[in-house]
Structures are given as structure tokens and as C-alpha cells.
Amino acid sequence: LVPCTAPSVWEARVSRTDPKKQYSVRAKFSYDAANRRVRIIDQVNLQKETDFFDVLYLFDTGTEYYLNLKTKECEKKELPGPFRPLQVPPNATFLGEEYIGIGGVPGAGVLTELWEAESKEEGKFFGVYTVEGCIPIQVERYSNSSGLETTYFFDVTAGISDPNVFVPPKECN
């Protein structure tokens, strides 16, 4: 089976957790693969602390804007790594299909495909994508340098609702 192709421009809400590092993130996520840019406006819960950040990644210029929404302090820095598309890798292995919800009741479930891949550059990949539309639901990546990162996507919508979402925050000028 050939890996499906996820949409290149979309928005969603995301949830990430790392019990080992004792943090969780809930965020608004804007994604534009064609122009290699991502914006994440998030609430980070680290142990007993809560912070709010606005992070813009512009991969074509190699720039990250990291705005603390509490203090209004912005840090402009070089991106830590390459753009990683939220696509099923071309070398991925199909693991099968599963329903999320109830499969036998119309409208009560979503049929998904499970994929895995591994490469020296990217490490290990596991992804759950909808059969209809190839929408990412869960993406896990593991590398020795960054550890395990699991991201869940929900409330996904096609396109970008605000064309200015990829403009750096005014506090970062």
C-alpha cells in the first residue's frame, strides 16, 4: 500500500504530553507545508507552572520567533532543525486499519490507517491518519536526541483562517 498524502495547508488544535519531562501542551496549530512554516500558540503546563507561548517557525529563512505571552518578551533565534512535514514518510510500512469510535454505526467512527517508518536522519515514526482525506490524528516521533514526542490533532480544518498567522508578532520586531 502506498502512503497517503496529507493536506499541505491546515489548522488544528493539538495536544502533546511527556510524562517523563512532566509537561503537557494544548495549542492552536497552523501548518503550511508548501511554504514550510508553522505557528503554534500554546499553553504549556510544566509540573505545577503554566505558561503561554506564541511560536512561529519560518523554515525558508531558518528563523524561530518565540514570544512569551505573559511577559511579552520575544526571542528571535535560528531554527533548531529542518522542516519535518506531517506526512506519512514515503518509506513507511502500512500496519493496518482501525476505527476510532464505532465502526458499524454510520457517523459514529472514523476509519484510520496506521503507518510506521524509521530512518537515520529522522529516527522512528508512527502515525495514525484518516483513510478519507489523510488527516493526521496522531504522530509519534522518536530519536535519541529528542526522545519521544507524541502529538494528537483534533478539530482539523482545511486552509488557514487568518492569512497573517505567519507574520512575526509585533513584539518581535
Side-chain angles (χ1 to χ4, degrees), residues 15-148:
S15 175
R16 278 184 298 199
T17 58
D18 186 333
K20 187 175 178 184
K21 295 177 186 169
Q22 296 185 338
Y23 85 87
S24 67
V25 174
R26 292 188 61 87
K28 181 176 188 241
F29 183 86
S30 302
Y31 175 79
D32 178 359
N35 294 298
R36 299 174 359 118
R37 51 194 188 172
V38 175
R39 181 117 185 218
I40 304 170
I41 300 173
D42 61 14
Q43 171 184 330
V44 177
N45 301 303
L46 179 58
Q47 295 170 13
K48 296 185 194 278
E49 295 280 318
T50 301
D51 273 313
F52 300 88
F53 298 98
D54 180 348
V55 186
L56 176 61
Y57 302 98
L58 300 176
F59 289 88
D60 282 353
T61 63
T63 309
E64 174 184 339
Y65 296 89
Y66 193 85
L67 174 63
N68 182 316
L69 292 170
K70 277 186 176 177
T71 66
K72 300 297 183 194
E73 291 179 25
C74 183
E75 187 178 351
K76 180 181 173 184
K77 52 190 175 181
E78 192 174 310
L79 283 167
F83 179 71
R84 293 166 70 180
L86 288 166
Q87 294 286 348
V88 179
N91 67 331
T93 301
F94 179 68
L95 300 177
E97 292 181 342
E98 290 182 353
Y99 271 98
I100 295 175
I102 301 172
V105 178
V110 175
L111 184 59
T112 63
E113 296 179 341
L114 285 65
W115 297 90
E116 72 175 357
E118 188 169 357
S119 72
K120 286 184 180 180
E121 302 82 32
E122 294 288 325
K124 295 180 181 179
F125 166 90
F126 171 79
V128 179
Y129 289 75
T130 62
V131 168
E132 185 74 31
C134 195
I135 308 300
I137 303 235
Q138 175 185 350
V139 172
E140 293 184 1
R141 292 193 167 127
Y142 176 82
S143 70
N144 290 334
S145 60
S146 62
L148 177 65

